[in-house]
Amino acid sequence: MGRDTIADIITSIRNADMDRKVTVRIASTNITENIVKILLREGFIENVRKHQESNKYFLVLTLRHRRNRKGAYRTYLNLKRISRPGLRIYSNYQRIPRILGGMGIVILSTSRGIMTDREARLERIGGEILCYIWVLPGMKEQKWIHEGLITESLPNGMFRVRLDNENMILGYVSGKIRRSFIRILPGDRVKIEDSNN
């Protein structure tokens, strides 16, 4: 299996942001250039320039670090790879997820090129979900809440859930529900909490 270029650039940007680096250098390809254009347009990065070194082209991204009177105002740039070479995830335009009620974006690869979820909905086209991107101040981890229908109960408080976007996942009972011995049966609608790690 070849390298996952999108996962590589996501990891590079995330690591540079966590280390408070001002710039990060990534390989320049058609797909990385299109993704970086979206990051720049949506305000997730401050600047980008193309750099050539021994017949190879690189993109040098300037990351955004806000300041206030008390010093650095830390924002964590969160990037999550969704579709992977071994497991492609596709969605039609009606089922594209909304990240934090529109505060984040979904980047898709469509028949009309790389675009955001908002553009895909306007164009009424679906595609491959490449990644989620969002920024929240002072948070390293964001919890995602999904809703779905239980299709099967499994041993040890586990169950299989069909999410509203038609994905199937495994869930488990925890917290008050587990302590109160509340039974969850096939056909019940549930909310599933998922971290971005």
Side-chain angles (χ1 to χ4, degrees), residues 2-159:
R3 289 174 62 89
D4 185 350
T5 310
I6 298 171
D8 289 347
I9 69 166
I10 283 174
T11 302
S12 298
I13 294 170
R14 185 191 300 123
N15 290 345
D17 185 63
M18 288 176 67
D19 290 342
R20 296 193 177 199
K21 291 184 179 174
V22 176
T23 61
V24 59
R25 191 175 81 161
I26 60 173
S28 177
T29 63
N30 285 338
I31 195 161
T32 58
E33 285 187 24
N34 287 323
I35 290 173
V36 166
K37 281 178 189 172
I38 290 174
L39 291 176
L40 184 62
R41 191 176 69 229
E42 296 287 331
F44 290 108
I45 59 174
E46 203 165 286
N47 191 22
V48 60
R49 61 186 169 85
K50 203 166 189 177
H51 175 69
Q52 184 179 2
E53 190 176 294
S54 62
N55 296 328
K56 288 187 178 179
Y57 286 95
F58 297 94
L59 297 173
V60 179
L61 315 182
T62 304
L63 302 180
R64 197 176 281 281
H65 293 285
R66 298 176 193 164
R67 293 190 162 273
N68 61 18
R69 291 177 195 151
K70 296 179 182 177
Y73 174 65
R74 192 70 185 109
T75 59
Y76 292 97
L77 181 59
N78 295 276
L79 303 98
K80 184 177 182 183
R81 180 74 160 116
I82 303 301
S83 188
R84 300 172 184 275
L87 180 62
R88 302 288 184 186
I89 306 293
Y90 297 91
S91 175
N92 65 29
Y93 76 93
Q94 295 167 318
R95 294 188 177 274
I96 298 170
R98 293 180 190 274
I99 307 303
L100 299 177
M103 288 173 57
I105 62 169
V106 178
I107 296 182
L108 299 98
S109 176
T110 72
S111 57
R112 297 181 195 169
I114 307 287
M115 61 178 67
T116 66
D117 54 323
R118 290 188 292 276
E119 294 166 329
R121 286 189 198 95
L122 285 173
E123 298 277 345
R124 299 173 74 90
I125 54 173
E128 182 183 353
I129 299 178
L130 301 179
C131 58
Y132 298 159
I133 302 171
W134 72 100
V135 174
L136 285 178
M139 290 190 178
K140 288 188 179 177
E141 181 179 313
Q142 170 66 24
K143 299 291 185 183
W144 299 88
I145 305 294
H146 304 282
E147 290 191 25
L149 192 72
I150 293 182
T151 59
E152 182 184 359
S153 291
L154 302 169
N156 299 321
M158 296 193 68
F159 45 86

